[in-house]
Amino acid sequence: MSSVLITAGRLIVGPADKTIDDAALLLEGTTIVACGGRVEVAARAPESAVRLDFPDATMLPGLIDAHVHLALGGERDPITPLRDRSPVRLALDMAGRAQRALAAGVTTVRDLGDPDGMAAALRDAIAAGAVAGPRILTATVPLTCPGGHLAAFGGEVASDREIRERVRRNAELGADLIKVMASGGALTPGGPPMWAAQFDAGQLRYIVEQAAELGLAVAAHAHGTETIAHCVAAGVRTVEHCSWRTADGLRYDEAVTAELVRRDVFVCRCISGDWRAFLAQLGQANADALCDAIRRMRRAGARFIAGTDAGVPGAPFGEYAGMLEFFAEIGFGNDEVIDMATVTAAEALGIADRTGRLESGCAADVLVVEGDPRAELRSLRVPRLVVARGRIHRPVPGNEV
């Protein structure tokens, strides 16, 4: 088993307020076996260890993008190309997108919807070492109503029987979780508007129950205020987007947020790396209302995790750091933002025993960046080294050591 000793000026253990100066990590295979001061850890490294030194840099846990769509390429109409690409071409495209995320320091992605469970196949190929890429957690085919958001992926369900069969089929495809399109979206012409419910409260509870029987959590795409309330009551693990929309605009609900906090439901408020363009598209009034709702949820104790929605129009892979800068721009502390992308995301995704921290026994998921991201988040834009489950990568895909 190969050993790697990485030394750096500082190390963020996770959470971000736990740091070590003049630090070192010792990796053996896919696992961290020692973390601490340079002298102490270096003394444990065998002579044969690969040694990498970054004296002016910071080591931190590999980043987690909790909301991506590897099957989508960001085109204005990203669904149509799926019909034109062969399965082999689509698989290659998905691998390339995963590698762009990896090059940006993202060592885990949660794929929240693809056709035919193709992300599961890519997940397994990466885990086997056949392809470079981040760890993938996949929801396979998202559940949606007939003609609903991303119905082109094949997950249309209407009855309890269809819901049960789809959840079980997803498990057979290798799903790590279940995704439900609880409200409408913007990528399906003729489908329900973003604020409209696609499932009622009883159906959402049934989806959560069916997933739980198989040991799977549920992530819910929910834009509508009423739908968010139903998702929280149903017991979903994460609410995606959580944008508080109604037919007349945005209506934030303090009582729903209080229940979300009480039930420990996490919020993935997806923001693309090019967040300024995203807010400009909303218009000043709507952008101000959205940012205000996020701040109010934060003050109420809601726990946010980091996600880009990469793959949809305006959300390219590889622009992860820009999304984090949005939260800092609206008042989140840098330590808080780093935790959203590491320890908190790992907890929300149920993988805190594997990643999100740099401690002995954790997976060797490591990012090295110039400077100190606790002081300046922009340093995350220039990764010096990315290690995913012990495999060493440079920031540019294809430059594996």
Side-chain angles (χ1 to χ4, degrees):
M1 183 178 297
S2 61
S3 298
V4 179
L5 177 69
I6 309 173
T7 53
R10 68 198 61 81
L11 181 148
I12 296 173
V13 178
D17 61 1
K18 185 178 180 181
T19 63
I20 302 170
D21 290 332
D22 195 25
L25 279 181
L26 182 60
L27 317 178
E28 289 188 3
T30 62
T31 306
I32 298 170
V33 297
C35 173
R38 179 190 300 260
V39 174
E40 171 192 355
V41 174
R44 296 183 53 181
E47 290 186 7
S48 61
V50 174
R51 296 168 189 265
L52 303 169
D53 186 32
F54 302 91
D56 299 319
T58 299
M59 285 189 281
L60 68 154
L63 305 173
I64 298 171
D65 192 335
H67 192 130
V68 306
H69 295 282
L70 291 166
L72 302 181
E75 300 90 344
R76 181 170 296 183
D77 170 16
I79 304 301
T80 298
L82 295 178
R83 305 187 185 101
D84 301 331
R85 287 180 170 88
S86 69
V88 171
R89 172 61 188 276
L90 180 56
L92 291 172
D93 288 346
M94 291 172 67
R97 293 164 193 153
Q99 288 163 15
R100 287 199 291 278
L102 182 67
V106 175
T107 58
T108 299
V109 299
R110 183 174 61 154
D111 188 279
L112 290 185
D114 74 355
D116 303 319
M118 294 190 68
L122 179 58
R123 173 199 63 198
D124 296 344
I126 291 171
V131 180
R135 173 188 293 100
I136 295 175
L137 304 178
T138 176
T140 66
V141 181
L143 279 67
T144 192
C145 68
H149 185 46
L150 292 185
F153 282 2
E156 294 171 292
V157 293
S159 66
D160 284 357
R161 177 183 62 80
E162 290 173 341
I163 289 171
R164 181 180 177 87
E165 289 176 354
R166 183 70 259 175
V167 170
R168 275 153 178 71
R169 176 59 180 147
N170 283 358
E172 292 170 359
L173 289 170
D176 299 296
L177 72 152
I178 297 299
K179 169 75 176 296
V180 57
M181 298 300 188
S183 72
L187 298 183
T188 304
M194 295 178 75
W195 55 266
Q198 296 198 153
F199 297 94
D200 63 30
Q203 289 174 310
L204 290 171
R205 285 195 301 272
Y206 188 69
I207 290 167
V208 171
E209 290 168 2
Q210 291 302 304
E213 286 187 9
L214 302 175
L216 302 176
V218 174
H221 164 108
H223 285 287
T225 298
E226 182 181 36
T227 298
I228 293 167
H230 290 164
C231 289
V232 171
V236 304
R237 181 60 170 168
T238 64
V239 176
E240 312 299 311
H241 307 293
C242 199
S243 54
W244 305 103
R245 291 175 184 259
T246 69
D248 301 318
L250 186 149
R251 180 172 59 82
Y252 175 70
D253 192 317
E254 292 182 356
V256 173
T257 296
E259 184 66 7
L260 178 147
V261 172
R262 188 185 74 80
R263 289 175 173 263
D264 200 22
V265 176
F266 293 82
V267 177
C268 189
R269 171 55 266 190
C270 301
I271 298 288
S272 70
D274 189 5
W275 57 269
R276 288 182 175 83
F278 170 72
L279 294 183
Q281 289 176 352
L282 291 179
Q284 190 65 53
N286 287 332
D288 289 347
L290 180 147
C291 294
D292 180 63
I294 295 172
R295 294 187 188 100
R296 293 174 70 179
M297 293 180 72
R298 174 177 176 253
R299 289 196 295 269
R303 294 212 280 171
F304 288 86
I305 60 176
T308 61
D309 212 2
V312 306
F317 286 89
E319 294 293 331
Y320 184 90
M323 172 267 301
L324 298 182
E325 290 165 8
F326 162 79
F327 288 95
E329 181 75 14
I330 66 170
F332 285 58
N334 287 358
D335 281 14
E336 184 180 5
V337 172
I338 292 169
D339 287 348
M340 284 171 50
T342 54
V343 290
T344 307
E347 181 183 351
L349 274 53
I351 54 175
D353 60 331
R354 286 174 270 170
T355 193
R357 295 170 291 119
L358 298 182
E359 294 181 341
S360 295
C362 290
D365 296 336
V366 186
L367 172 61
V368 180
V369 299
E370 289 287 356
D372 184 357
R374 296 184 62 199
E376 179 53 72
L377 279 177
R378 288 188 62 82
S379 65
L380 295 175
R381 290 182 173 273
V382 190
R384 294 282 303 279
L385 182 74
V386 182
V387 183
R389 282 184 287 192
R391 190 174 182 183
I392 298 173
H393 306 267
R394 300 301 180 188
V396 178
N399 286 352
E400 294 84 11
V401 174

